């Protein structure tokens, strides 16, 4: 790995807030001397020499996969609708089939053209504009495969996250209007019907006021929350609570947080400054004493992904905002999810978790939080699983409603073979499979998830030690295989499984098995490498042997 500094970098950058950030300087063959840097009225520009290599990464991209010959603006956006770079988790890190990857240590919305030709000499280059900045630190990593390069990037952040085995079990989020009795009824339903479920999640209704948040129990729906938690614990459940960081005037910490919030209200609540400092201490202390010490060990951190760009009827803080720690709104949008995760980990005081978050960013591999979305296209969800590994991120292709029993089962199959098996019934009056009379198939899939947990846990342990993610695009391990450069609907899972999900409309699909020996996960039948036509009601899964 090689660090190169251009100009004068900003002080507010991701590495400053990465507690385990570390680098090891080694020689690289990349032509560093050919990188061009200059400043203009909009900030600064970098120009990188490129050849025939293919580009991947740039964060959680739901709409695009191979980023070669693309023009992108990496911007936090809750509702990415196209391939222009918007993302729940934009990351200024890219990897290539040319044996190198590059990380830019910036909290700005960078503008990228992955391949463009100069008018002066016809040379092909990659350009990056960093608005407002007058310089940047550039980190160059090299490896034989993309997996080796990504592993270096993740180790630079501190390695992959440590997760508890129970966090890898099924999580079911109940309807957001469900009262205490209904929550306990749902908990009993899973146990009585031998349907594995380890975590129950409560949605906005648990708050006395949820937009903005009070972080206090709604006593009409939950008259005895501590008794409910005790009963759920007795049944073997962990409990996860939804929230966001816009503080309601009803919140006990509202007055304390006033001096430690941004200068614009959001949803008529305070936009908490959760960067290291007094505001974070107040927020974390309240969560620890009011919730964690009462038995809560997981949180769903919502609305930290610039929801104001979506037509939801409310606005987020603008880029011109100022926060007490000295950041502007653009920088805070890019670091908001990171700060939020760090704050909740401080509240948990070392207790293990695998929680959820709506936004992340650079150097996030050490955080045990899984990204999710309000979007619901199944193909996009599969692409998210495939892409997440490029950028040190975890992604959950959750199940909510379905158009048919086939749609529900296909979606659940994808969820079962992902880092977190998440079923979100926040607007469902009953568990979503009841309407389709397919409880037996759902039970079988949830039981399969339980059987996968030891294998997945071992992959997470390897992630922590080596930086190699538990879910990876085929091109990450088989970088020189040109067939893998466009495959955005297959992925490697738990190191030795290849998963090729199918959507509702598919009765058959083609599956590519890279070089090596494979066998069908379900039947044990051996398969040669190459393309195969697969027709099955199960999810196609193959095991490396």
């Amino acid at each position: 790995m090689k660090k190169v500094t251009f100009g004068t970098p900003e002080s507010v950058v991701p590495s400053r807030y990465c507690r385990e950030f570390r680098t090891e300087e080694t020689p690289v063959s990349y032509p560093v001397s050919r990188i061009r840097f200059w400043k203009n009225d909009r900030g600064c520009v970098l120009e990188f020499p490129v050849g025939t290599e293919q580009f991947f990464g740039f964060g959680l991209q739901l709409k695009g996969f191979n980023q070669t010959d693309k023009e992108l603006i990496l911007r936090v956006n809750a509702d990415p609708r196209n391939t222009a770079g918007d993302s729940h988790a934009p990351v200024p890190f890219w990897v290539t089939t040319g044996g190198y990857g590059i990380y830019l240590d910036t909290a700005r919305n960078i503008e990228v053209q992955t391949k463009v030709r100069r008018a002066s000499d016809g040379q092909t280059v990659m350009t990056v504009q960093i608005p407002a900045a007058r310089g940047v630190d550039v980190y160059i990593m090299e490896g034989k495969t993309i997996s080796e390069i990504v592993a270096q990037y993740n180790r630079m952040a501190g390695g992959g996250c440590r997760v508890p085995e129970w966090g890898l079990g099924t999580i079911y989020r109940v309807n957001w209007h469900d009262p205490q009795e209904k929550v306990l009824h749902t908990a009993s339903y899973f146990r009585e019907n031998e349907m594995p479920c380890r975590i129950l999640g409560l949605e906005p209704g648990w708050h006395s006021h949820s937009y903005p948040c009070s972080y206090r129990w709604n006593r009409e729906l939950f008259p005895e929350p501590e008794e409910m938690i005790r009963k759920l614990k007795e049944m073997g459940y962990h409990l996860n609570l939804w929230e966001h960081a816009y503080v309601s005037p009803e919140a006990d910490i509202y007055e304390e947080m006033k001096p430690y919030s941004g200068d614009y209200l959001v949803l008529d609540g305070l936009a908490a400054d959760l960067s290291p400092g007094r505001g974070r201490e107040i927020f974390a202390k309240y969560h620890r004493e009011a919730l964690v010490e009462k038995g809560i060990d997981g949180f769903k951190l919502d609305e930290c992904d610039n929801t104001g760009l979506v037509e939801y009827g409310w606005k987020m803080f603008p880029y011109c905002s100022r926060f007490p720690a000295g950041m502007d709104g653009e920088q805070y949008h890019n670091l908001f999810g990171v700060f939020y995760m760090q704050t909740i980990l401080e509240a948990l005081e070392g207790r293990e978790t695998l929680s959820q978050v709506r936004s992340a960013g650079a150097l996030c591999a050490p955080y045990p939080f899984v990204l999710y979305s309000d979007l619901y296209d199944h193909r996009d969800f599969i692409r998210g699983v495939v892409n997440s590994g490029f950028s040190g991120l975890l992604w959950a292709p959750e199940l909510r409603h379905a158009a048919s029993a086939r749609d529900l089962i296909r979606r659940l199959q994808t969820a079962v073979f992902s880092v977190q098996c998440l079923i979100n019934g926040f607007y469902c009056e009953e568990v979503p499979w009841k309407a389709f009379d397919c409880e037996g198939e759902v039970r079988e899939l949830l039981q399969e998830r339980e059987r996968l947990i030891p294998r997945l846990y071992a992959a997470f342990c390897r992630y922590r030690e080596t930086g190699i993610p538990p879910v990876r695009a085929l091109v990450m391990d088989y970088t020189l295989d040109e067939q893998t450069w466009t495959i955005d609907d297959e992925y490697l899972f738990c190191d030795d499984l290849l998963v090729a999900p199918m959507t509702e409309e598919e009765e058959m699909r083609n599956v590519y098995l890279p070089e090596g020996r494979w066998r069908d996960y379900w039947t044990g039948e051996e398969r040669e490498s190459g393309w195969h036509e697969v027709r099955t009601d199960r999810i196609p899964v193959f095991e490396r042997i």
Side-chain angles (χ1 to χ4, degrees):
M1 179 187 299
K2 184 172 184 61
K3 174 185 176 182
V4 187
T5 298
F6 295 94
T8 305
E10 295 186 284
S11 61
V12 176
V13 292
S15 64
R16 174 182 173 183
Y17 303 101
C18 181
R19 295 171 181 171
E20 299 181 70
F21 186 75
R22 57 180 182 266
T23 60
E24 184 176 340
E25 191 85 5
T26 56
V28 296
S29 60
Y30 184 86
V32 174
S33 62
R34 292 176 55 200
I35 301 174
R36 296 178 62 206
F37 169 83
W38 68 92
K39 303 171 188 176
N40 59 21
D41 291 342
R42 298 186 61 242
C44 66
V45 180
L46 290 148
E47 188 180 83
F48 299 91
V50 298
T52 59
E53 65 266 42
Q54 306 290 295
F55 292 78
F56 302 89
F58 300 102
L60 181 69
Q61 297 296 330
L62 297 180
K63 295 293 185 178
F65 175 64
N66 188 318
Q67 303 295 345
T68 309
D69 295 320
K70 295 291 180 63
E71 186 170 352
L72 309 170
I73 299 177
L74 301 192
R75 181 179 67 161
V76 180
N77 184 355
D79 199 9
R81 296 283 178 171
N82 53 44
T83 60
D86 279 3
S87 170
H88 289 280
V91 178
F93 171 62
W94 62 91
V95 289
T96 75
T97 57
Y100 70 91
I102 294 178
Y103 167 63
L104 306 184
D105 195 24
T106 179
R108 295 295 180 185
N109 296 343
I110 70 170
E111 302 164 9
V112 179
Q113 288 183 306
T114 52
K115 284 190 178 181
V116 64
R117 294 177 72 82
R118 284 202 303 249
S120 59
D121 57 10
Q123 293 296 306
T124 302
V125 296
M126 174 183 184
T127 65
V128 179
Q129 169 88 58
I130 309 177
R134 310 308 290 171
V136 66
D137 286 326
V138 176
Y139 295 83
I140 302 168
M141 289 146 266
E142 294 183 326
K144 294 180 180 179
T145 66
I146 288 176
S147 285
E148 290 181 11
I149 299 164
V150 168
Q152 291 179 61
Y153 166 77
N154 289 335
R155 290 198 304 271
M156 182 169 68
C161 56
R162 182 177 289 108
V163 302
E165 280 200 35
W166 59 261
L168 301 174
T170 297
I171 172 173
Y172 185 83
R173 308 200 70 87
V174 302
N175 184 291
W176 77 292
H177 295 297
D178 279 358
Q180 181 173 320
E181 295 80 10
K182 183 69 177 297
V183 173
L184 292 170
H185 175 77
T186 300
S188 297
Y189 161 78
F190 280 99
R191 294 292 180 261
E192 292 167 1
N193 289 276
E194 298 181 342
M195 305 185 77
C197 180
R198 301 205 188 193
I199 310 166
L200 285 182
L202 302 186
E203 289 291 294
W206 80 267
H207 293 263
S208 61
H209 197 286
S210 53
Y211 283 91
C213 281
S214 67
Y215 316 104
R216 287 161 43 185
W217 288 96
N218 177 344
R219 293 291 175 168
E220 291 185 7
L221 294 180
F222 298 92
E224 297 178 308
E226 293 186 27
E227 178 64 12
M228 178 191 68
I229 294 170
R230 183 188 65 79
K231 290 180 178 178
L232 291 173
K233 295 287 185 184
E234 287 179 353
M235 285 189 272
Y237 285 101
H238 296 262
L239 194 59
N240 178 294
L241 300 182
W242 172 98
E243 64 167 60
H244 57 68
Y246 305 113
V247 183
S248 169
E250 290 186 19
D252 294 333
I253 57 174
Y254 183 79
E255 291 299 326
E256 277 189 285
M257 287 297 298
K258 272 186 175 180
Y260 308 107
S261 299
D263 55 356
Y264 287 85
L265 296 177
V266 177
L267 299 164
D268 290 326
L270 302 173
D273 187 341
L274 299 180
S275 62
R278 181 59 183 154
R280 176 185 291 188
E281 292 173 1
I282 295 167
F283 202 89
K285 181 175 182 289
Y286 180 83
H287 278 69
R288 180 167 55 252
E289 294 177 353
L291 301 170
V292 172
E293 291 177 357
K294 307 297 184 183
I296 305 301
D297 50 21
F299 292 87
K300 176 182 176 180
L301 311 181
D302 208 356
E303 318 297 10
C304 53
D305 56 352
N306 208 4
T307 317
L309 296 175
V310 187
E311 294 299 324
Y312 283 167
W314 64 75
K315 300 294 182 184
M316 296 292 106
F317 51 87
Y319 289 152
C320 64
S321 299
R322 300 301 304 178
F323 284 79
M327 275 163 272
D328 62 34
E330 179 187 357
Q331 293 167 315
Y332 197 78
H333 274 300
N334 281 298
L335 291 167
F336 195 176
V338 175
F339 292 153
Y340 207 170
M341 290 186 284
Q342 291 176 348
T343 302
I344 292 302
L345 290 176
E346 289 186 14
L348 288 167
E349 285 193 319
R351 295 171 177 85
E352 290 187 308
T353 191
L354 185 59
S355 292
Q356 300 79 45
V357 68
R358 270 285 283 269
S359 180
L363 307 175
C364 280
Y367 303 124
F369 287 81
V370 182
L371 289 154
Y372 64 97
S373 174
D374 272 356
L375 304 177
Y376 202 53
D377 183 90
H378 192 182
R379 290 189 182 278
D380 288 350
F381 274 23
I382 295 168
R383 191 176 297 110
V385 175
V386 178
N387 277 336
S388 59
F390 290 125
S391 304
L393 304 169
L394 303 176
W395 162 255
E398 64 183 38
L399 165 67
R400 296 177 220 150
H401 66 274
S404 65
R406 185 182 182 85
D407 183 32
L408 186 145
I409 294 301
R410 288 302 196 198
R411 289 178 178 275
L412 184 56
Q413 287 170 346
T414 307
V416 164
F417 284 88
S418 65
V419 292
Q420 188 169 62
C421 183
L422 174 56
I423 305 171
N424 190 358
F426 78 97
Y427 51 68
C428 303
E429 294 300 323
E430 58 184 4
V431 291
W433 48 87
K434 281 285 186 77
F436 299 113
D437 193 26
C438 57
E439 185 177 280
E441 293 168 88
V442 171
R443 179 185 298 106
E444 182 179 342
L445 279 167
L446 297 187
Q447 290 174 347
E448 182 63 37
R449 175 66 182 195
E450 283 291 302
R451 288 189 286 271
L452 285 168
I453 287 175
R455 190 190 296 244
L456 183 55
Y457 183 75
F460 265 99
C461 290
R462 184 184 181 207
Y463 184 34
R464 178 65 184 168
E465 294 169 3
T466 68
I468 297 175
V471 178
R472 305 184 298 286
L474 300 192
V475 71
M476 290 184 66
D477 282 24
Y478 301 95
T479 303
L480 298 183
D481 183 344
E482 294 185 20
Q483 293 287 331
T484 69
W485 294 359
T486 57
I487 297 176
D488 65 352
D489 59 356
E490 299 180 28
Y491 52 91
L492 301 172
F493 181 67
C494 296
D495 297 324
D496 56 357
L497 299 180
L498 184 151
V499 182
M502 297 173 70
T503 58
E504 176 193 18
E505 63 273 14
E506 292 178 298
E507 295 182 357
M508 177 277 294
R509 66 157 292 169
N510 291 316
V511 176
Y512 181 69
L513 301 180
E515 182 180 359
R517 296 178 59 209
W518 301 88
R519 66 181 169 214
D520 188 298
Y521 177 75
W522 305 108
T523 68
E525 177 188 356
E526 291 198 24
R527 298 291 185 97
E528 298 292 329
S529 60
W531 286 99
H532 298 267
E533 183 179 290
V534 178
R535 191 178 299 271
T536 179
D537 289 330
R538 292 183 180 271
I539 181 172
V541 180
F542 298 88
E543 187 171 12
R544 281 193 283 207
I545 54 177

